[in-house]
Amino acid sequence: MRIVSIGGGPAGLFFAIVMKRVQPAASIVVHERNAPGDTFGWGVVFSDQTLGNIATADPDTFARIADEFVRWDAIDVNYRGRTIRAGGQGFAGIARKRLLAILHERALALGVDVRFNSAIEAVDVRGADVIVAADGANSATRRAHAPVFGTTLEGRRCRYMWLGCRQTFEAFTFAFERTDHGWFQIHAYQFDADTSTVIVECREETWRAAGLDLMSAADSIAYCERLFARYLGGHPLMSNAAHLASPWLSFVQVNNARWHHANIVLLGDAAHTAHFSIGSGTKLALEDAIGLAHALATHEQPAPAFAAYEAERRVEVLRLQNAARNSTEWFENVDRYASLEAEQFAYSLLSRSQRLSHENLRLRDAAYVHGMERWLAQRSGLDAPVPPMFLPFRLRDVELANRIVVSPMAMYRCVDGTPDDFYLVHLGARAQGGAGLVFTEMTCVAADARISPGCAGMYRDEHLAGWKRIVDFVHANTPAKIALQLGHAGPKGSTQVGWASPDEPLAEGNWPLIGPSAVAFGERNAVPREMTRADMDRVIKQFVRAAHMGITAGFDLLELHCAHGYLLSSFITPLTNKRTDDYGGSLANRLRFPLEVFRALRENWTSGKPMSVRISATDWVDDGVTPDDAVEIARAFAAAGADLIDVSAGQTSRRAKPVYGRMFQTPFSDKIRNELQIATMAVGNITDADQINGIIAAGRADLVALGRPHLADPYFTLHAAATLGYAAQPWPLSYLPGRDQYLRTVRRAAEAAEVVR
Ligand SMILES: Cc1cc2nc3c(=O)[nH]c(=O)nc-3n(C[C@H](O)[C@H](O)[C@H](O)COP(=O)(O)OP(=O)(O)OC[C@H]3O[C@@H](n4cnc5c(N)ncnc54)[C@H](O)[C@@H]3O)c2cc1C
Ligand SMILES: Cc1cc2nc3c(=O)[nH]c(=O)nc-3n(C[C@H](O)[C@H](O)[C@H](O)COP(=O)(O)O)c2cc1C
């Protein structure tokens, strides 16, 4: 097989090495446009795990790289005059120049034909069976076929300079400095005996406001030297980017719908980029190289080999790109976290990618996590540290025992809206299960406000009696508080129950719908009647009546459902609100009616009891509500007296393209909480105690709601407490023998896992 690699970076060279190892007869030519040693950039870092992959693919390369590694263990976060250190991080650094030199020598030793000063434009590659496009993020090979590869390029919001410095940092060092123009940060780490990488980064607008866009390279560097002088020990910052028009770059997120076309296959940065703040670009490039070489060795023809390579690598790349995106956004929004105290700022930074969990951090540095838990406990007035999910939380006069919430979930079991024994057992069991707060499902304020015929209501005396029985049970038998979620289905009303065809109209017996505009939720849904002012007044009265019933029933918290495309949400999103009066158009206008409802409720709801609002923080549609809009929506409700924003997302349009993943909606809660400094509740694919502890410790939310996990396990909180060894969690007295046996089972499982390890 004749293989031509365009680009002698980490991807192209390591691919040639691994290919030669698995198929010594292959003919491989690597064309590199630069001269040997003529590379831009300073050091690169690797995490421990990456090293294992390289070691298996080519022990020789690994041994030579490992010989030159500078290893370090700790991360220092310098912020507001404090340094917070977390250990056990296990990184290694090497000069990019040395890495390339080692790869080059190894490739030559294995018989690869490496040609420097050989730009591919000047070379004839027509005879090749396989053309490996390893020509980096700006790949000209990819650009020539961009429509076929389905290339998307997304420029990000920061500017950065990749510099070197003779200062030797004993830890991976992050430092943050505030200027009149905004925040600047450095990411610095040592990569050989006397040199470190120093990446200086700031928002684009900060960069412009500081005049750096007009400064020469030398003046830019001098500016950064002054700004970060206290970390540089008197050493100058050095640039090796003389070939660039400006040393300031912007990170570009590269993605491709297809990684191969005819005999061309994309590798490393040419196929995908991952922001440098998670230090994974080289790792991905090297692992791509391993994947492609193995695929070519196991398939006779290039096409199936390319397909196998792409299928194998895509998943891992996507995982890391998701983590990298969270990390990129963190550094783009330092200002958002600037109100956090140093301890929480550092924890938020360490866990920014949502990949490193609370227990991962504990495994790396138990003393650091213990210190963080102690700090969190002190702020909550506790004497001793507890797992963060067990910190109490107060909203107005209501004290919640912990941060776990049973998310509102429709059960579709009511007849004419009345919650019966099923609801008593369902909500009662979850309250006994230890969550600090249990929500009712969306409880509808009128018969025609229901989503389905099975939905719960709060508009008849029977409803009040049914709910009061449940609330009384929860208060009499558990420490949990119970919240009433009120809503009106609007354009998403008159649909089937959850286990039939949800969001689809009933086979028969449909009722007329109302909405902000005559826009149906879907092709088969009825077109709602555009609401008149009289309709609005009637709906407000229905909400207020339901709130009064809620007070009589004894609920502790009232939530207004303004999410998921139901009536109030359908006013907020421009996708369904097409009104031309004061209730449509701008976001302020679209919020007008939901705020009128909220204010009416706040005036009527008990002043000592809190109110929350559930919102959809994004429509996941290009022309819909954005996370920036969500901040404004939250701000408006907070100004109207909301104590908590319950941050959900989507379900407002059939055109939505949600990006699912672990804790996928939590970044929206993080954004709203820290940009507005208001209490939030995160929800959505949060499945375990470790995730909850991380969210609370990082200040991404104040409460964490779990829906489906509570359907599978009503005793989620009791089980989590036992697993975490949190003895202070109260269990129902009658269940204590069960608790003791459960604790023994957990202990034995932990001991068995220890033996296996
Ligand atoms: C500031 C910064 C810091 C980083 N830090 C880290 C880190 O700490 N850890 C980490 O893992 N990654 C890091 N990265 C990412 C890493 O540099 C890249 O992901 C990695 O280099 C990708 O390897 P590659 O071989 O795909 O591309 P490249 O390294 O870009 O190599 C492409 C090669 O192709 C050559 N070439 C281009 N066009 C042609 C042509 N027409 N003909 C011939 N040759 C051509 C180029 O000269 C180059 O040598 C960082 C990146 C940046 C910008
Ligand atoms: C069966 C079911 C019913 C739901 N009903 C409601 C509801 O009545 N009101 C609401 O705001 N969200 C409702 N949701 C959404 C959940 O509250 C929660 O936001 C969602 O399930 C994501 O959380 P999870 O990943 O923990 O399940 C429902 C979810 C499920 C699974």
Side-chain angles (χ1 to χ4, degrees):
M1 190 180 286
R2 281 159 307 162
I3 303 173
V4 169
S5 171
I6 308 174
L13 286 172
F14 199 54
F15 162 73
I17 291 168
V18 183
M19 193 69 221
K20 266 292 188 192
R21 276 176 54 82
V22 293
Q23 207 172 78
S27 137
I28 310 176
V29 185
V30 175
H31 294 277
E32 167 56 49
R33 68 177 168 195
N34 291 336
D38 183 13
T39 186
F40 154 68
W42 296 85
V44 288
V45 291
F46 293 100
S47 72
D48 279 345
Q49 194 207 338
T50 321
L51 307 182
N53 295 330
I54 304 171
T56 315
D58 185 31
D60 189 279
T61 302
F62 171 69
R64 296 215 37 208
I65 295 177
D67 239 18
E68 299 199 21
F69 269 147
V70 172
R71 293 173 191 274
W72 69 95
D73 190 51
I75 294 184
D76 279 354
V77 181
N78 298 281
Y79 169 74
R80 291 186 191 276
R82 300 268 312 278
T83 303
I84 308 280
R85 174 167 290 193
Q89 306 292 332
F91 284 113
I94 185 170
R96 181 173 153 95
K97 250 185 199 173
R98 282 301 304 149
L99 173 68
L100 291 176
I102 291 169
L103 294 176
H104 177 207
E105 280 169 31
R106 177 71 177 141
L108 288 183
L110 288 168
V112 178
D113 178 0
V114 185
R115 301 184 195 168
F116 288 99
N117 300 312
S118 176
I120 201 69
E121 294 78 4
V123 183
D124 187 356
V125 292
R126 272 174 301 182
D129 299 310
V130 170
I131 298 175
V132 179
D135 46 351
N138 274 326
S139 170
T141 324
R142 182 194 65 217
R143 251 198 332 266
H145 305 279
V148 188
F149 288 122
T151 306
T152 52
L153 305 174
E154 185 197 346
R156 301 296 317 193
R157 293 176 168 170
C158 280
R159 289 281 177 158
Y160 69 87
M161 277 198 287
W162 196 355
L163 301 170
C165 185
R166 296 289 175 209
Q167 168 73 318
T168 49
F169 294 92
E170 64 179 73
F172 191 120
T173 299
F174 292 109
F176 297 83
E177 291 294 327
R178 179 177 243 156
T179 68
D180 291 345
H181 313 294
W183 286 93
F184 283 76
Q185 58 261 13
I186 55 172
H187 314 226
Y189 52 89
Q190 193 177 336
F191 62 81
D192 68 21
D194 62 0
T195 328
S196 298
T197 285
V198 177
I199 300 170
V200 186
E201 190 188 26
C202 64
R203 290 271 294 211
E204 171 93 22
E205 52 270 38
T206 301
W207 178 72
R208 287 187 192 286
L212 289 158
D213 55 334
L214 303 175
M215 271 184 216
S216 67
D219 287 348
S220 278
I221 290 169
Y223 179 96
C224 297
E225 281 169 353
R226 283 195 299 278
L227 194 55
F228 290 100
R230 76 172 88 169
Y231 308 102
L232 303 179
H235 298 283
L237 291 171
M238 305 178 286
S239 169
N240 60 5
H243 62 293
L244 300 175
S246 160
W248 290 101
L249 304 174
S250 307
F251 176 78
V252 177
Q253 175 80 45
V254 175
N255 278 310
N256 286 282
R258 275 171 63 89
W259 290 4
H260 58 95
H261 158 59
N263 64 342
I264 306 173
V265 60
L266 303 178
L267 199 67
D269 273 12
H272 47 72
T273 53
H275 192 250
F276 55 81
S277 60
I278 63 161
S280 290
T282 310
K283 163 195 162 78
L284 287 177
L286 296 178
E287 289 178 347
D288 277 4
I290 300 169
L292 179 61
H294 284 261
L296 283 169
T298 45
H299 293 81
E300 301 243 310
Q301 295 300 319
F306 292 169
Y309 148 74
E310 181 174 336
E312 184 217 316
R313 293 296 303 146
R314 243 188 208 290
V315 182
E316 170 67 3
V317 166
L318 196 66
R319 223 172 49 78
L320 265 173
Q321 279 185 322
N322 279 345
R325 177 174 290 273
N326 289 336
S327 178
T328 315
E329 284 179 9
W330 199 96
F331 285 106
E332 286 174 347
N333 292 291
V334 171
D335 199 38
R336 177 188 298 164
Y337 303 104
S339 60
L340 297 178
E341 290 180 53
E343 284 80 357
Q344 200 159 39
F345 181 90
Y347 187 101
S348 173
L349 189 163
L350 292 170
S351 58
R352 67 194 177 280
S353 72
Q354 292 201 161
R355 220 164 35 126
L356 196 56
S357 77
H358 195 67
E359 292 309 316
N360 292 152
L361 281 170
R362 195 194 306 280
L363 275 177
R364 292 171 181 220
D365 186 347
Y368 166 73
V369 171
H370 187 74
M372 184 65 197
E373 290 183 344
R374 199 176 43 231
W375 180 83
L376 287 164
Q378 276 164 0
R379 291 177 85 222
S380 291
L382 303 183
D383 297 334
V386 298
M389 67 193 277
F390 293 110
L391 292 166
F393 189 64
R394 194 180 182 81
L395 286 165
R396 297 205 183 206
D397 295 345
V398 175
E399 178 92 14
L400 303 179
N402 58 49
R403 306 302 185 99
I404 304 122
V405 175
V406 177
S407 203
M409 279 181 293
M411 294 292 108
Y412 306 104
R413 300 283 304 238
C414 292
V415 175
D416 290 334
T418 306
D420 61 5
D421 288 355
F422 179 91
Y423 287 79
L424 175 68
V425 175
H426 167 68
L427 293 169
R430 276 138 195 95
Q432 286 178 326
L437 180 65
V438 176
F439 267 84
T440 68
E441 66 189 55
M442 174 168 129
T443 302
C444 307
V445 295
D448 66 354
R450 289 175 303 165
I451 306 168
S452 77
C455 285
M458 194 60 128
Y459 48 88
R460 285 173 34 175
D461 291 347
E462 295 89 320
H463 302 162
L464 171 55
W467 284 123
K468 186 164 182 341
R469 184 164 163 250
I470 294 166
V471 173
D472 286 349
F473 174 87
V474 170
H475 286 159
N477 294 285
T478 82
K481 304 293 184 213
I482 180 161
L484 171 64
Q485 186 190 57
L486 286 182
H488 188 302
K492 284 178 81 176
S494 191
T495 59
Q496 301 177 32
V497 294
W499 53 84
S501 299
D503 295 342
E504 293 296 329
L506 301 170
E508 55 186 30
N510 285 291
W511 56 85
L513 304 179
I514 53 171
S517 307
V519 177
F521 182 66
E523 262 175 33
R524 286 171 295 277
N525 299 84
V527 177
R529 178 168 59 76
E530 179 175 313
M531 285 173 75
T532 61
R533 183 64 242 182
D535 290 325
M536 293 183 197
D537 292 339
R538 190 186 67 253
V539 169
I540 290 175
K541 279 196 187 123
Q542 290 170 342
F543 270 101
V544 169
R545 175 184 62 193
H548 280 296
M549 292 166 89
I551 292 170
T552 310
F555 281 103
D556 301 295
L557 181 149
L558 181 65
E559 173 161 292
L560 182 62
H561 197 334
C562 293
H564 302 170
Y566 298 115
L567 183 67
L568 301 178
S569 160
S570 71
F571 265 86
I572 297 173
T573 170
L575 303 174
T576 40
N577 183 341
K578 305 291 178 193
R579 296 178 79 101
T580 51
D581 60 5
D582 289 350
Y583 295 89
S586 66
L587 178 59
N589 277 2
R590 286 182 271 126
L591 271 168
R592 196 180 302 275
F593 178 57
L595 284 169
E596 283 178 11
V597 176
F598 183 86
R599 287 198 195 95
L601 290 180
R602 188 64 270 182
E603 276 165 26
N604 284 277
W605 184 244
T606 315
S607 67
K609 289 187 180 181
M611 280 190 64
S612 62
V613 181
R614 177 165 269 208
I615 63 168
S616 284
T618 171
D619 286 331
W620 303 114
V621 175
D622 282 346
D623 45 347
V625 164
T626 65
D628 284 339
D629 293 335
V631 172
E632 297 315 313
I633 294 167
R635 194 195 304 274
F637 280 111
D643 305 290
L644 176 80
I645 305 296
D646 172 0
V647 187
S648 186
Q651 298 177 53
T652 51
S653 165
R654 293 190 191 257
R655 286 196 282 133
K657 290 203 174 66
V659 183
Y660 292 118
R662 292 179 308 148
M663 303 179 270
F664 71 115
Q665 296 173 163
T666 302
F668 306 130
S669 161
D670 183 358
K671 179 176 167 76
I672 291 169
R673 180 182 190 272
N674 292 307
E675 286 185 16
L676 298 181
Q677 274 110 62
I678 56 174
T680 62
M681 179 159 83
V683 66
N685 214 12
I686 301 165
T687 49
D688 62 40
D690 196 15
Q691 294 171 349
I692 304 173
N693 284 330
I695 291 168
I696 299 299
R700 297 200 161 88
D702 299 279
L703 296 175
V704 176
L706 278 68
R708 291 162 299 168
H710 275 119
L711 295 183
D713 181 4
Y715 302 129
F716 176 89
T717 304
L718 300 185
H719 290 156
T723 308
L724 292 170
Y726 174 63
Q729 172 63 36
W731 283 56
L733 294 178
S734 327
Y735 294 2
L736 288 181
R739 178 195 68 180
D740 296 343
Q741 187 194 45
Y742 190 81
L743 283 174
R744 281 195 299 276
T745 313
V746 167
R747 207 173 304 130
R748 267 190 231 117
E751 283 163 8
E754 199 54 43
V755 170
V756 170
R757 221 182 290 145

